[in-house]
Amino acid sequence: MTIRFGIMGTANIARKALIPAMKRAKDVQVVSVASGSGKAKAFAEEMEIERYHDSYEAMLEDETIDAVYIPLPNTLHKKWTIAAARKGKHVLCEKPAAITVQDAEEMVQVCEENGVTFMEAFMYQFHPQHNKVRDVIASGEIGEVKHMRATFSFYLGDRPENIRLNKELGGGSIWDVGCYCIHSARLILGSEPIRVFAEGNVPENVGVDLSANGILTFPNGVTASFDCSFERQMNNVYEVFGTKGSIKVPYAYRPDAPHAEGLIEVTDSSGEIRHERIEGEQYTLMVEHFAESVKNRKIPSYSGELTVNNLKVIEASYASLEKQSPIPIR
């Protein structure tokens, strides 16, 4: 069984990452693209896609499509996820799935009610380097985990027209890259935080956080720090610190970037460092997992519940940023 995808929009993430990944993936086919801006035909020709639609509504009426990929602006995810679900289309939705917990809960509920698979496209987690990190932690090699530190930044520059700086469309560094740091802390530590304290740089003339950092506290007393920024050079790394050693993943979120790779560095109590290289194509692995979930009618390993939990932490982080005080995570 082949899962046939329609692409809702002509975003660069679709052009550069998801469509190439879908073309590499097993039992997956890209059959159509839709755009409301008149770009669909040219995009379809460029990407060698068979059909195009000049509206998202028309795509959802296309009976040859099993699933849609939604890379639209953050604030449009809810509308088109729900519309797709009601037309019986499975949904792979770009992160963040929504910009409120309530919206995400509604999206997940509607997908469940209509019997379609929903998954938020946090691609990085499907790279096998993270399973290796968890295996090392479980082995006891670094002792008892006490803290994790995660960073994701890149230099956006003076680009006021960029969607990442548009508050009305869900802009801000936590929404765009900090969400990865928060997600990886929950993934690697295998627990949900109970409190967050965040600070950041929110210029009045911009209206969104250009940089932010925070501390997550977990029920067992373990902590995780995150920092994210549009104001610094590219950096995407996390480190896990234990009583006997530590683990560093230098290309945690973009091992597919130029000059990057799947790699973990394990430091023991004597300071000796062991390097392990792990290969994997995270976008393709994500698409294949989603397709398998659809075919086997199984909830994806990254479920709607986990999506909602991640958004709870992000929402609390923004509340903390605004109030300048620690916020409990409900």
Side-chain angles (χ1 to χ4, degrees):
M1 177 183 177
T2 298
I3 304 303
R4 300 163 299 179
F5 269 94
I7 311 298
M8 297 188 78
T10 57
N12 273 336
I13 185 68
R15 172 186 282 109
K16 295 180 178 179
L18 265 295
I19 293 174
M22 289 174 179
K23 290 184 176 182
R24 291 190 296 267
K26 179 183 177 183
D27 297 334
V28 170
Q29 183 181 7
V30 182
V31 299
S32 182
V33 62
S35 174
S37 61
K39 298 178 181 179
K41 181 179 181 181
F43 188 86
E45 291 174 350
E46 174 192 350
M47 302 305 297
E48 298 181 339
I49 297 172
E50 180 182 350
R51 293 193 303 282
Y52 69 92
H53 299 281
D54 288 322
S55 72
Y56 304 134
E57 292 89 350
M59 170 176 279
L60 296 182
E61 295 294 338
D62 188 340
E63 295 182 358
T64 68
I65 293 171
D66 304 305
V68 295
Y69 166 62
I70 302 178
L72 298 169
N74 299 342
T75 48
L76 296 178
H77 291 176
K78 175 187 176 182
K79 174 182 178 178
W80 292 109
T81 291
I82 289 175
R86 288 176 173 161
K87 292 294 183 178
K89 311 299 185 186
H90 305 281
V91 178
L92 179 63
C93 180
E94 196 50 63
K95 43 63 57 183
I99 56 170
T100 71
V101 171
Q102 183 177 347
D103 283 353
E105 289 174 335
E106 185 177 346
M107 291 160 67
V108 172
Q109 181 180 347
V110 172
C111 286
E112 289 176 351
E113 290 172 350
N114 286 275
V116 300
T117 300
F118 170 84
M119 192 173 84
E120 184 182 23
F122 262 110
M123 77 301 178
Y124 90 93
Q125 65 186 307
F126 292 94
H127 195 287
Q129 65 182 346
H130 308 293
N131 287 336
K132 185 62 179 178
V133 169
R134 290 186 286 186
D135 288 345
V136 172
I137 291 172
S139 74
E141 184 176 353
I142 68 167
E144 185 180 356
V145 172
K146 293 295 184 180
H147 182 69
M148 179 171 169
R149 181 170 64 207
T151 297
F152 198 172
S153 64
F154 68 94
Y155 184 63
L156 184 59
D158 184 18
R159 297 169 61 186
E161 78 290 347
N162 192 286
I163 193 172
R164 295 176 177 89
L165 302 179
N166 188 326
K167 185 175 182 179
E168 301 305 316
L169 295 178
S173 66
I174 297 178
W175 279 125
D176 194 63
V177 283
C179 60
Y180 287 93
C181 303
I182 289 168
H183 188 283
S184 61
R186 298 173 46 252
L187 175 73
I188 299 302
L189 299 177
S191 180
E192 298 294 346
I194 58 174
R195 185 171 60 254
V196 61
F197 185 22
E199 298 178 306
N201 175 28
V202 187
E204 287 187 11
N205 65 323
V206 178
V208 302
D209 50 302
L210 297 181
S211 297
N213 59 80
I215 294 287
L216 303 172
T217 302
F218 290 80
N220 58 0
V222 173
T223 55
S225 61
F226 69 87
D227 71 87
C228 52
S229 180
F230 295 149
E231 301 178 288
R232 301 194 301 267
Q233 67 176 12
M234 178 66 172
N235 192 17
N236 65 116
V237 57
Y238 69 67
E239 298 177 85
V240 183
F241 301 93
T243 53
K244 297 180 181 178
S246 63
I247 308 169
K248 181 178 181 179
V249 184
Y251 309 107
Y253 312 114
R254 292 304 308 272
D256 58 321
H259 312 298
E261 61 181 330
L263 174 69
I264 70 169
E265 301 174 358
V266 182
T267 303
D268 64 20
S269 57
S270 68
E272 184 174 345
I273 300 175
R274 182 180 83 254
H275 294 87
E276 295 193 32
R277 287 171 171 79
I278 302 100
E279 294 184 358
E281 210 301 302
Q282 56 193 24
Y283 284 102
T284 301
L285 291 169
M286 175 184 70
V287 169
E288 289 181 340
H289 177 76
F290 179 80
E292 284 296 315
S293 299
V294 171
K295 288 189 292 184
N296 297 323
R297 298 181 180 275
K298 288 186 175 181
I299 296 173
S301 61
Y302 187 50
S303 65
E305 179 183 3
L306 292 174
T307 286
V308 169
N309 288 346
N310 204 60
L311 285 165
K312 287 179 179 179
V313 184
I314 296 171
E315 201 171 74
S317 296
Y318 274 111
S320 177
L321 191 64
E322 181 178 356
K323 296 181 180 179
Q324 299 184 345
S325 64
I327 296 291
I329 299 168
R330 59 182 178 87

